[in-house]
């Protein structure tokens, strides 16, 4: 009888989120329309909201968001307004109006995506952030689709 072969099954860690900050004067519905046209997606406002603890208030605060999942490429898009009901989602980034979060992005190269976002009339600036800086991602994993 020969040696028994051992096989080790390793699973890749979950694809990290990509987080982009967008500065614009657009209302959320207008920015969604622009993103939908530019990126060929269909962001829709979700009825479900996620709650985050706001240290300044020492209380939970609910935040709404827009969502789209590309069924073909399995990419998930989230658009979250930074300031909602007089509260900042990310208080240390008050210059950011919206966060565009992509999960399992297999459809857009980051550099190309930033270029596309910057070409939208009305978008003042686009910033790329390290996903590890955002605790919001835990909430999107739980409540997201």
């Amino acid at each position: 009888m020969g040696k028994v072969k051992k096989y080790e099954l390793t699973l890749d860690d979950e694809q990290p989120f990509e987080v982009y900050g967008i500065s614009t004067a657009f209302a959320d519905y207008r920015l969604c329309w622009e993103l939908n046209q530019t990126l060929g997606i269909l962001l829709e406002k979700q009825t479900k909201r996620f709650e985050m603890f706001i240290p300044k208030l020492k209380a939970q605060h609910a935040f709404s968001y827009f969502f789209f999942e590309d069924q073909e490429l399995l990419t998930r898009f989230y658009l979250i307004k930074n300031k909602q009901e007089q509260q900042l989602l990310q208080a240390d980034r008050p210059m950011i109006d919206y966060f565009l979060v992509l999960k399992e992005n297999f459809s857009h190269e980051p550099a190309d995506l930033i270029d596309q976002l910057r070409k939208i009339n009305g978008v003042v600036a686009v910033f790329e952030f390290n996903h590890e800086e955002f605790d919001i991602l835990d909430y999107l994993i739980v409540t997201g689709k």
Side-chain angles (χ1 to χ4, degrees):
M1 188 174 215
K3 277 187 153 182
V4 177
K5 289 184 179 179
K6 288 187 177 182
Y7 294 97
E8 185 175 325
L9 178 64
T10 58
L11 300 175
D12 291 337
D13 288 337
E14 193 170 326
Q15 180 80 11
F17 284 81
E18 294 174 22
V19 181
Y20 303 93
I22 301 173
S23 292
T24 181
F26 284 156
D28 55 6
Y29 63 88
R30 174 68 193 271
L31 182 58
C32 281
W33 186 86
E34 293 286 350
L35 291 172
N36 289 343
Q37 299 302 308
T38 301
L39 302 177
I41 59 177
L42 185 58
L43 286 165
E44 295 179 339
K45 189 166 189 169
Q46 301 300 296
T47 54
K48 194 174 186 179
R49 301 173 91 188
F50 66 91
E51 290 191 0
M52 274 189 63
F53 181 77
I54 307 294
K56 187 171 109 178
L57 295 177
K58 297 181 183 171
Q60 294 285 104
H61 187 73
F63 289 91
S64 61
Y65 64 98
F66 293 78
F67 175 78
F68 172 72
E69 181 175 10
D70 185 329
Q71 296 290 335
E72 193 173 302
L73 298 173
L74 302 175
T75 302
R76 297 175 187 166
F77 297 81
Y78 300 88
L79 181 69
I80 307 139
K81 192 171 185 177
N82 192 23
K83 187 174 187 178
Q84 295 186 30
E85 299 173 13
Q86 306 303 318
Q87 296 303 318
L88 286 172
L89 179 65
Q90 291 290 316
D92 57 335
R93 294 179 175 90
M95 73 289 197
I96 303 297
D97 297 304
Y98 296 90
F99 291 102
L100 179 64
V101 181
L102 279 69
K103 182 176 187 317
E104 299 172 359
N105 179 17
F106 300 108
S107 57
H108 295 85
E109 286 294 321
D112 294 339
L113 179 64
I114 290 171
D115 286 342
Q116 287 179 300
L117 295 175
R118 287 182 176 155
K119 288 179 183 173
I120 296 173
N121 283 335
V123 170
V124 178
V126 178
F127 306 93
E128 186 174 12
F129 294 105
N130 185 335
H131 72 280
E132 294 173 355
E133 299 175 32
F134 291 84
D135 54 354
I136 184 177
L137 304 180
D138 295 331
Y139 295 95
L140 293 178
I141 292 170
V142 173
T143 61
K145 295 180 181 194

